[in-house]
Amino acid sequence: MDNRPIGVFDSGLGGLTAVKELQRLLPGEDIVYFGDTARVPYGSRSRETILKYARQDVRFLLGFGIKAVLVACGTVSAAALPELTEEFSVPMAGIILPAVRRAAVATRTGRVGLIATQASVRARGFERAMRSVRPEVTLYSDACPLLVPLAENGRVGRDDPVTRLVLEESLAPMRGRDVDTLILGCTHYPLLAEAIGAALPGVTLVDSGAEAAHFISAAREWDRAAPDREGRTRYYVSDNAEGFARISGLFLGRPIGHSVGLVDIETIL
Ligand code: DGL
């Protein structure tokens, strides 16, 4: 048995889509969440910058004596995961393989869409994963950079006129491709799942954050916490703790106001 916490990080709110599922699957585990709200978005940055940020995020979490890391960020998973797993000895999982596996099982037509950040699409990690899991599937990828700011600002409702307009434009290329399954390859996007579902009716949506939570909860590289204990989650951000608490409380369905700590992530070497 191992009661040390699991570390989870993202550039902002998106990783909460994984935390929510992890809390449901493993209620006895302590979780430490870090959202790099001072430097979001990661998806429009260079690979070098993403790697630098991700290293600092992992080092911050290591300070809590964590037993595993869930990289709940598609961008870091796509652009930096091989380097991170090589550099750090703590067991680590990203979102790409879990999301691709789910999509490969879900598709009936073999036509799957991927929406993700610019850096994730550029890295082509989802394509590589799909080739290894189910090579006959055709994957159509689009970067949707305007979706992260919508999620970070809580503009996620399907009736929000700005959200509708942004989704209409962002999803227009996907409409003509007749996909039956769409990977939400950025962990922010499941926050918009209802609105995306309304814009692409009949398409099965794959929540990459939730799939990653399932994946890590089944991993054998780390030991579970003692049975019957109640896990607690601590939240840290690098900016605007109040804004994070407000929007994440809405998403998680319970107030987290007093438990959000502020971190100067730039000072972590
Ligand atoms: N939620 C992240 C991802 O899954 C990052 C979005 C961003 O910071 O651009 O890609």
Side-chain angles (χ1 to χ4, degrees), residues 8-206:
V8 182
F9 75 93
D10 178 44
S11 59
L13 280 165
L16 295 176
T17 55
V19 167
K20 192 176 183 183
E21 191 63 3
L22 209 50
Q23 289 170 334
R24 195 182 69 78
L25 292 168
L26 301 173
E29 298 291 342
D30 287 345
I31 298 170
V32 181
Y33 182 78
F34 175 63
D36 196 0
T37 49
R39 304 188 294 193
V40 66
Y42 282 10
S44 51
R45 301 184 193 273
S46 69
R47 202 176 148 275
E48 292 68 32
T49 300
I50 294 165
L51 185 54
K52 178 185 143 199
Y53 288 178
R55 283 185 178 122
Q56 289 176 309
D57 301 344
V58 174
R59 286 191 191 115
F60 169 69
L61 291 172
L62 286 175
F64 293 86
I66 50 171
K67 59 183 172 184
V69 177
L70 180 55
V71 180
C73 174
T75 305
V76 173
S77 303
L81 194 58
E83 285 85 349
L84 294 178
T85 48
E86 205 161 287
E87 284 170 35
F88 298 100
S89 55
V90 64
M92 214 178 270
I95 65 136
I96 294 182
L97 193 58
V100 163
R101 279 191 183 158
R102 168 63 56 208
V105 170
T107 182
R108 297 280 162 259
T109 61
R111 300 169 72 83
V112 172
L114 162 74
I115 53 171
T117 65
Q118 290 150 308
S120 294
V121 169
R122 198 171 56 223
R124 305 195 72 77
F126 286 89
E127 278 83 355
R128 279 194 297 280
M130 187 59 90
R131 270 202 302 280
S132 72
V133 171
R134 212 178 143 192
E136 72 277 18
V137 168
T138 308
L139 191 66
Y140 299 91
S141 311
D142 289 322
C144 296
L146 299 181
L147 271 49
V148 168
L150 284 180
E152 284 289 321
N153 288 286
R155 303 290 295 263
V156 297
R158 59 186 281 182
D159 296 325
D160 185 308
V162 176
T163 306
R164 276 167 67 160
L165 188 66
V166 170
L167 284 178
E168 201 171 299
E169 187 183 304
S170 302
L171 299 175
M174 205 49 85
R175 281 221 174 82
R177 295 184 185 133
D178 202 21
V179 300
D180 71 345
T181 304
L182 180 71
I183 301 174
L184 307 181
C186 166
T187 53
H188 278 73
Y189 299 173
L191 295 162
L192 293 148
E194 211 196 325
I196 294 172
L200 290 175
V203 173
T204 301
L205 303 182
V206 175

